[in-house]
Amino acid sequence: MRLIRIKWGRVAATMAATLIALVALLVATISPTWAWVTTAPAGAPVNFVGTGITFTDIPTAQTISCTTFTRAGAVSVPAGTNAAYGASVANLTTASISGCTNPIIGSCTITATTTWGFALTAAPTGGVWPARFTNVKLVVSCTGCVFTMEGVINGKFDRNSASPTYQRFTPVTGPSGLVVSGSPAPSGPNCVIFDVLPGDDVEVGGYWTNTGTPI
């Protein structure tokens, strides 16, 4: 009798494990690949206006601050689109960037050379969604030093219409996803003073508020 109970217990355990695996496979098969549903119509204007935008080379603690940093464009998918996390839903094609300075090497010009994307990247908490700007490439030209920052800018985006920070994108603290590019590498004599090197992580400060069509 004991032998029968032991064998049955093993069979039951095997059956239970098999059932769990089958349920997991079924859920994976029938679960939607999309994560959220868009509400803004395709082509609707979006306008991310920067406030207190800064870029800090983390290893050297050198910061470039800009008085104006706006990226604008349009929603790129129709309203009601089943969007996957990480999929861009807006293209930011135009830029207005000015008043950028560093306390050591002075005035700098920052040029956005790519169309940025905007994506939600994970489920929200209280109406605030993990998000990012994608395809970011910024050429920084200061006196005697030229370098490029590229990658993404990770942060959070407030979609809670009752919130005072509604439609605000706030970058993460610490490494943002931007790095100093090695191709082309930083060039110019003042880059030695600035001590900017390929691969340096960049922290982005301040925030952007979408004053166009709510996303």
Side-chain angles (χ1 to χ4, degrees), residues 114-185:
T114 55
T115 294
W116 291 12
F118 179 76
L120 302 182
T121 58
T125 300
V128 178
W129 300 62
R132 70 167 57 109
F133 290 124
T134 63
N135 195 40
V136 178
K137 190 170 186 178
L138 300 169
V139 177
V140 183
S141 300
C142 306
T143 303
C145 181
V146 178
F147 62 96
T148 300
M149 302 180 292
E150 60 184 346
V152 301
I153 301 176
N154 290 305
K156 59 183 180 180
F157 185 62
D158 192 346
R159 299 182 73 219
N160 179 4
S161 59
S163 170
T165 58
Y166 179 54
Q167 293 292 294
R168 177 182 294 182
F169 174 85
T170 305
V172 297
T173 301
S176 61
L178 280 185
V179 297
V180 175
S181 176
S183 180

Side-chain angles (χ1 to χ4, degrees), residues 56-60 148-150 178-181 186 194-203:
T56 300
D57 183 292
I58 293 177
T60 65
T148 300
M149 302 180 292
E150 60 184 346
L178 280 185
V179 297
V180 175
S181 176
F194 196 66
D195 198 22
V196 59
L197 295 173
D200 283 358
D201 286 314
V202 177
E203 180 175 27

Side-chain angles (χ1 to χ4, degrees), residues 66-96:
C66 299
T67 57
T68 300
F69 200 116
T70 299
R71 295 246 42 187
V75 175
S76 57
V77 297
T81 295
N82 297 323
Y85 289 139
S88 180
V89 296
N91 292 326
L92 307 180
T93 55
T94 64
S96 176

Side-chain angles (χ1 to χ4, degrees), residues 3-30:
L3 181 59
I4 293 175
R5 285 200 298 266
I6 292 174
K7 287 185 175 180
W8 171 247
R10 291 175 179 172
V11 170
T14 302
M15 290 175 62
T18 302
L19 180 60
I20 291 172
L22 288 172
V23 170
L25 179 61
L26 181 62
V27 169
T29 302
I30 65 175

